[in-house]
């Protein structure tokens, strides 16, 4: 409660300091920052520096991308501005700049989340009028942060005469879902941040999802299992087959998951096969690789399930992307079409597991 | 037939000239270039320079983007390479670089088109191995060209020992659909070229679709009506409400469509309302604008329908994008999710009309 008073004081002061354009700006950390594995007051990382310590350098770096993070606030403003600063404005061939570096805003309306607007990134420092000509009713909002960039600072601006405050009850369900995975989990290739499948699930199920997707680097190091075990998860979703080789899956997946089973015997685990890469229908090498990856993961599931069938679930690749071969941008990374499909399947299993 | 012999000769010569990496390269113009309103032997434009002459400068410029163009070929190659040269490599905040500047490849398999691979653009000049480790069976392919760039040159490469030739029977239905519209028609914001909704329709219905979407500039100038009337269309789809103001729609749409009705009395016309911009649920000015635009278009339809109900159709905005508010990248431009939805609706009307 004391902490909250200090935060409120900072909020009021900073608002006055930053009022320049008729808008008062509030730092994102004061607006119920969620989706991280730790409570941060000064960064937009998914794992903190202590949690990252024994992990590979690339995972440590990617953990500083703000994928899956949201801020949640209530305001009666008729206009909402956002200022944000990135470490670097990035371009990636199979993603939109707004998904990588930008933001999207939802409002909680008629008891569900509805898209409001997206904020266009133009450089490292950005200031955007996200929405204007609102009706002035007090409303709850959620802002999804950039998927593939490091965010250094973010502020939400409302007109001086409006009120804005953190919306602390932004999740109707207090349980947390942790999804560990690859670039697909991190959000490649959603059209905008809120369309990454962990975020779709979070909005639809009303619970917090920690996005631990690490592009190209979700390879099941044992230190990652130890990291995951420390997060107070209600369920673990392991979508980490696309990055490791079949040999790595064979060597790592059993000990990785077994460790979680021992450390968190009450916490269900959902294992997801790799998406069946579209290229695998054509390229015989890719076909062989993805099928071996999935076979090794399946072997691990069979072993764990034989040991104890309780609280362990397995999703086959055939259930992830539909059957029309149109769900990816490049054969591997899911578009919004693919993310809608995979989120439906994962939600079915989450409902079983929770 | 003479022309075809000359082309064959050029093909054989150029193949030998360009063989450097163990691959022989064939110019795209020799591989059944389709989707343009004219038969081109030296560019990748959608309208030729004569057709463009009286149109606004921006429309003339956009007509040189290769949106909706495809090349169609047959090869038994085990690997397919593509070389292409752009006027300029572009970045747009709400589109992927591969949709703007890149390519995607489909194969005709089990009597339908199936996605094979995408080609990553890295600069003005690109050379990409699109697919490798194929089985070597002879197969038909379609390559979708960049949506928002001017393409100066394109060549398809196959190993020296393979065969490649134009696939002239690439459309089972010989009728042409002409779609005139805005950025949405041009393909913003498909994840890759083949996911623009005119291209989805073309693959699913097996007929040629001429994409005449002009980003921000589909404003129904009377010269455009005259241009459209010259194209041998089996049906006109008019998706041109998002760009003109309500006043412009009031002034232009009746004369525009009436001209087509008079010039092409046997050719059905499908009028499509503007997508209901997601921002319109929040921003009262946007709401008023989009509703006025659609009302003016509806007034024109009512007048034309009263004059003669035959061969004129109208699609309301409620049928275009679904009801979950998740079909756009920015409130206006449809993602693959939105394009799948709009294509289903437009196809229903096309089947009625044709």
């Amino acid at each position: 409660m004391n902490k909250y008073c200090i935060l409120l004081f900072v909020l009021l002061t900073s608002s006055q300091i930053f009022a320049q354009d008729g808008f008062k700006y509030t730092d994102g950390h004061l607006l119920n920052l969620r989706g991280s594995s730790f409570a941060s007051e000064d960064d937009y990382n998914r794992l903190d520096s202590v949690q990252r310590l024994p992990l590979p350098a690339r995972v440590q770096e990617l953990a500083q991308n703000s994928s899956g993070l949201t801020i949640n606030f209530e305001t009666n403003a008729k206009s909402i501005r956002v200022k944000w600063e990135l470490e670097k404005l990035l371009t990636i061939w199979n993603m939109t700049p707004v998904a990588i570096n930008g933001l999207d805003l939802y409002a909680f309306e008629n008891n569900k989340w509805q898209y409001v607007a997206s904020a266009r990134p133009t450089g490292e420092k950005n200031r955007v009028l996200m929405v204007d000509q609102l009706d002035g009713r007090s409303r709850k909002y959620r802002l999804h942060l950039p998927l593939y960039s490091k965010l250094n600072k973010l502020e939400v601006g409302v007109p001086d005469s409006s009120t804005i405050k953190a919306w602390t009850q932004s999740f109707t369900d207090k349980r947390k879902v942790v999804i560990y995975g690859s670039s697909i989990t991190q959000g490649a290739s959603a059209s905008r941040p809120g369309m990454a499948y962990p975020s779709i699930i979070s909005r639809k199920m009303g619970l917090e999802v920690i996005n631990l997707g690490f592009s190209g680097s979700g390879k099941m190091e044992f230190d990652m299992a130890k990291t995951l075990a420390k997060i107070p998860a209600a369920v673990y979703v392991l979508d980490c087959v696309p990055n490791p080789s079949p040999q790595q899956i064979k060597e790592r997946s059993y000990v990785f998951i077994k460790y979680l089973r021992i450390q968190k015997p009450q916490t269900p685990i959902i294992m997801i096969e790799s998406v069946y890469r579209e290229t695998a229908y054509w390229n015989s090498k890719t076909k062989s690789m993805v099928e071996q990856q999935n076979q090794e993961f399946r072997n691990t599931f069979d072993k764990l399930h034989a040991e104890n069938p309780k609280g362990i679930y397995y999703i086959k690749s055939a259930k992830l992307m539909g059957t029309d071969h149109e769900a990816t941008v490049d054969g591997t990374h899911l578009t919004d079409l693919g993310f809608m499909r995979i989120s439906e399947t994962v939600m079915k299993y989450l409902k079983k597991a929770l």
Side-chain angles (χ1 to χ4, degrees), chain A:
Chain A
M1 206 48 197
N2 257 356
K3 183 180 150 194
Y4 199 65
C5 289
I6 296 167
L7 293 184
L8 259 177
F9 175 73
V10 175
L11 183 157
L12 292 166
T13 341
S14 68
S15 300
Q16 268 143 30
I17 292 169
F18 283 98
Q20 295 158 323
D21 49 5
F23 278 63
K24 57 185 178 191
Y25 287 88
T26 306
D27 190 274
H29 291 96
L30 305 175
L31 296 174
N32 195 24
L33 173 64
R34 302 297 287 268
S36 180
S37 64
F38 72 109
S40 169
E41 285 169 29
D42 58 4
D43 65 38
Y44 292 96
N45 299 341
R46 297 179 279 160
L47 295 173
D48 80 358
S49 50
V50 174
Q51 287 175 309
R52 297 198 310 263
L53 224 46
L55 297 169
R58 182 63 181 147
V59 175
Q60 298 210 33
E61 196 182 336
L62 289 164
Q64 297 173 65
N65 291 174
S66 54
S67 183
L69 271 56
T70 61
I71 62 170
N72 299 272
F73 56 94
E74 186 171 352
T75 180
N76 61 356
K78 290 190 175 180
S79 309
I80 300 172
R81 283 185 193 271
V82 186
K83 295 202 277 194
W84 75 105
E85 295 181 22
L86 304 166
E87 183 80 10
K88 197 169 186 305
L89 182 81
L90 297 171
T91 304
I92 303 174
W93 75 286
N94 56 5
M95 291 184 73
T96 65
V98 65
I100 301 165
N101 312 287
L103 311 161
D104 53 3
L105 182 70
Y106 282 74
F108 197 69
E109 196 80 355
N110 303 320
N111 218 31
K112 59 188 176 191
W113 288 106
Q114 182 177 333
Y115 171 83
V116 177
S118 302
R120 171 185 190 156
T122 49
E124 268 79 49
K125 291 193 182 190
N126 301 279
R127 189 173 74 170
V128 167
L129 175 64
M130 283 207 84
V131 60
D132 199 14
Q133 308 283 339
L134 286 160
D135 59 11
R137 280 203 297 121
S138 184
R139 202 174 267 121
K140 277 98 173 182
Y141 294 92
R142 175 173 294 169
L143 192 64
H144 292 272
L145 308 191
L147 293 177
Y148 265 72
S149 281
K150 177 163 165 34
L151 182 66
N152 289 333
K153 191 174 180 182
L154 182 137
E155 294 172 310
V156 179
V158 295
D160 283 330
S161 57
S162 307
T163 61
I164 181 168
K165 62 178 182 185
W167 183 34
T168 50
Q169 304 302 311
S170 56
F171 296 102
T172 49
D173 189 328
K174 297 298 168 204
R175 293 173 294 182
K176 288 187 190 189
V177 176
V178 171
I179 309 186
Y180 169 61
S182 68
S183 51
I184 296 168
T185 309
Q186 188 171 343
S189 291
S191 73
R192 45 183 170 78
M195 292 305 284
Y197 87 84
S199 295
I200 296 174
I201 290 172
S202 176
R203 288 194 304 276
K204 287 202 178 169
M205 294 186 72
L207 40 69
E208 187 170 4
V209 178
I210 314 291
N211 183 328
L212 293 180
F214 301 101
S215 185
S217 301
K219 296 189 180 176
M220 292 189 272
E221 301 83 9
F222 191 66
D223 284 321
M224 182 56 81
K226 291 200 273 185
T227 307
L228 294 182
K230 286 178 194 148
I231 304 172
V235 56
Y236 293 104
V237 179
L238 304 178
D239 184 16
C240 47
V241 179
N243 294 151
S245 67
Q247 185 62 28
Q248 285 174 323
I249 297 169
K250 187 184 181 122
E251 289 165 8
R252 296 176 179 184
S253 63
Y254 178 77
V255 286
F256 189 101
I257 302 170
K258 185 71 182 175
Y259 180 83
L260 286 176
R261 297 279 276 171
I262 292 168
Q263 294 296 312
K264 300 293 226 31
Q266 304 308 319
T267 309
I269 293 172
I270 298 171
M271 297 169 65
I272 308 184
E273 283 189 354
S274 171
V275 295
Y276 195 86
R277 294 173 194 250
E278 289 298 335
T279 324
Y281 294 101
W282 307 101
N283 182 322
S284 56
K285 272 196 188 167
T286 310
K287 176 183 167 70
S288 162
M289 193 202 54
V290 68
E291 291 182 358
Q292 283 180 59
Q293 287 174 310
N294 285 340
Q295 187 56 55
E296 292 298 346
F297 209 51
R298 178 78 204 190
N299 293 347
T300 293
F301 170 76
D302 288 343
K303 194 168 162 187
L304 289 163
H305 190 265
E307 289 172 8
N308 176 10
K310 196 170 158 286
I312 191 151
Y313 302 86
Y314 191 81
I315 308 181
K316 299 194 76 149
S317 66
K319 293 184 178 173
L320 300 176
M321 304 204 297
T323 57
D324 63 1
H325 306 285
E326 295 289 40
T328 74
V329 60
D330 55 8
T332 295
H333 297 100
L334 279 63
T335 61
D336 290 7
L337 184 62
F339 277 146
M340 277 301 218
R341 293 173 180 173
I342 195 175
S343 66
E344 292 298 332
T345 296
V346 176
M347 281 193 291
K348 270 185 212 155
Y349 282 80
L350 281 172
K351 283 170 192 165
K352 272 194 229 176
L354 281 167

